[in-house]
Amino acid sequence: MRCNYCEWRCDLEKGNGVCGRYKCENGEIVECEPFDWIDFYPYTVESMPFYHVMPNDYVIQTGTVSCNAHCSYCINSHLAIEENSARKLKHKSAESLVALCKQMDCKGVVFAINEITCFIPSAIEVAKQLHAEGLKVGCLTNGFETEETAHLLADNMDFINVSLKSLSDEFYKKDLGLSSVQPVLRNIKIFNDKTHLEIVTPLVHEVVENEIYDIMDFIYSVNPEIVWHLFRLMPNNERADERDMTHEEMLKIYETAKTKLPYTYLGNFAGSQWVDTYCPDCKELIIKRICTGAWLGGTVFNNLVDGKCPKCGKKVSGVF
């Protein structure tokens, strides 16, 4: 039996697949360790990052272990791909996770520690329980799901952040260990049509030098009001010896992108002034944020009125 959660479509008769998180049992695909989480703790939703979702509210961040990719610059490699990381898992049912969310006065849950494709059934059950209590749920993903899973996520997640690393199949094979970027591009269109979508692109040298503006054009072709996070990537994992990108290089990309994608942000700078939201129409400052490093930080003030610009009334895309 082949797993249909991601595009690897692993044959589970031969083992637990690429991510190692599923097995075949009585003719069904099941999780090896359902509702076992690496951790669960409150974070500002901006830290995920989601900039057009419930500004300055707290959510429970959680996830499991493993991944269906192997990114050369993974910032969570100590959790996602460490061999013994599964020993740290803690069991908490969907009902208990929702109760914890309410106890800590959080507005919902975001699956953000590892790839959500590694625990789809648990994530969907938690999402249903959250929605029953009037709470929100979102996730981060590399977008390498099957089309069926993409629709399943889009139908159950209030907001999704896709990490679009490149437009090149060669880059995806070399730096992520995935066969192609095409499923990711397809799924971005599915998510955009059905739920709130934000996209993160790590600023890697070869991507910046060869195709960053092509990525911008692709996002524009899907929806010019998609939120685009440009992530200043600190040398890490297998790229630990790589030169850090200069401020001038990143600022040029940011300023160019803003001319086509008004909701473009540049993160991973302490105190960054490139994380504020302006109205695309009248240029009014709508949301003022502070970035304290990586995506950590929050909203200083939020001038939205019913999700609209207070000056001209333009509707701002997001979950507000």
Side-chain angles (χ1 to χ4, degrees):
M1 172 175 282
R2 291 195 174 275
C3 178
N4 64 346
Y5 288 128
C6 89
E7 285 290 349
W8 282 106
R9 298 184 185 271
C10 299
D11 185 351
L12 297 183
E13 300 290 348
K14 299 180 179 179
N16 299 129
V18 169
C19 71
R21 306 299 295 164
Y22 294 103
K23 60 185 177 181
C24 180
E25 192 172 271
N26 298 323
E28 295 184 357
I29 300 166
V30 298
E31 285 178 84
C32 294
E33 297 166 290
F35 304 108
D36 281 1
W37 314 99
I38 193 71
D39 214 339
F40 21 80
Y41 41 86
Y43 254 98
T44 58
V45 72
E46 288 89 350
S47 302
M48 302 296 112
F50 284 102
Y51 277 8
H52 286 217
V53 174
M54 304 181 296
N56 222 29
D57 279 333
Y58 277 78
V59 293
I60 294 290
Q61 174 177 268
T62 191
T64 62
V65 292
S66 192
C67 191
N68 59 354
H70 188 103
C71 299
S72 64
Y73 47 84
C74 179
I75 61 174
N76 268 348
S77 58
H78 61 295
L79 296 177
I81 57 178
E82 182 184 294
E83 286 187 7
N84 295 322
S85 56
R87 297 179 184 175
K88 307 170 186 176
L89 293 173
K90 309 164 188 175
H91 187 80
K92 191 173 284 290
S93 68
E95 294 83 359
S96 297
L97 196 56
V98 173
L100 179 66
C101 191
K102 296 170 72 174
Q103 176 188 336
M104 303 188 80
D105 196 26
C106 290
K107 302 300 183 183
V109 168
V110 175
F111 301 109
I113 294 175
N114 71 315
E115 173 53 43
I116 191 172
T117 316
C118 298
F119 54 99
I120 289 290
S122 289
I124 298 303
E125 181 57 31
V126 171
K128 290 177 179 178
Q129 296 283 344
L130 286 164
H131 287 151
E133 296 295 326
L135 299 170
K136 300 293 185 183
V137 60
C139 72
L140 274 60
T141 177
N142 59 32
F144 198 66
E145 297 91 6
T146 61
E147 187 172 354
E148 308 96 287
T149 300
H151 282 288
L152 181 65
L153 285 177
D155 289 338
N156 286 276
M157 298 290 136
D158 298 294
F159 41 93
I160 294 176
N161 188 315
V162 176
S163 182
L164 177 59
K165 323 281 191 180
S166 164
L167 296 181
S168 163
D169 284 349
E170 181 181 353
F171 184 91
Y172 265 69
K173 290 173 184 175
K174 179 174 69 74
D175 277 80
L176 282 76
L178 299 177
S179 59
S180 172
V181 68
Q182 296 308 311
V184 182
L185 303 182
R186 176 199 66 210
N187 293 340
I188 282 174
K189 295 174 182 177
I190 291 172
F191 296 148
N192 174 72
D193 288 343
K194 304 184 80 170
T195 190
H196 173 67
L197 172 66
E198 303 196 10
I199 293 175
V200 168
T201 297
L203 295 178
V204 180
H205 283 286
E206 53 263 51
V207 172
V208 167
E209 292 164 4
N210 299 316
E211 58 175 313
I212 193 68
Y213 298 118
D214 292 334
I215 295 175
M216 176 187 71
D217 289 339
F218 166 75
I219 296 173
Y220 180 85
S221 73
V222 176
N223 180 357
E225 294 198 352
I226 285 176
V227 177
W228 191 25
H229 300 272
L230 299 169
F231 183 66
R232 175 198 181 198
L233 187 70
M234 306 295 283
N236 192 54
N237 199 19
E238 296 170 19
R239 287 176 175 258
D241 297 327
E242 192 168 285
R243 174 182 68 85
D244 192 10
M245 203 161 290
T246 68
H247 170 268
E248 290 75 18
E249 288 173 308
M250 289 179 282
L251 193 56
K252 179 183 176 183
I253 296 166
Y254 166 78
E255 291 177 341
T256 302
K258 287 279 285 187
T259 64
K260 293 194 75 170
L261 303 173
Y263 301 130
T264 297
Y265 303 99
L266 178 57
N268 205 10
F269 287 96
S272 171
Q273 65 266 44
W274 306 293
V275 294
D276 297 333
T277 299
Y278 292 86
C279 175
D281 289 357
C282 71
K283 311 307 177 188
E284 176 81 353
L285 176 59
I286 301 174
I287 304 176
K288 177 72 178 175
R289 300 183 182 87
I290 185 168
C291 186
T292 58
W295 298 114
L296 300 177
T299 295
V300 177
F301 65 78
N302 170 19
N303 286 336
L304 282 171
V305 178
D306 296 326
K308 299 177 182 177
C309 171
K311 185 175 180 180
C312 71
K314 177 179 173 57
K315 178 72 173 176
V316 177
S317 61
V319 179
F320 301 114

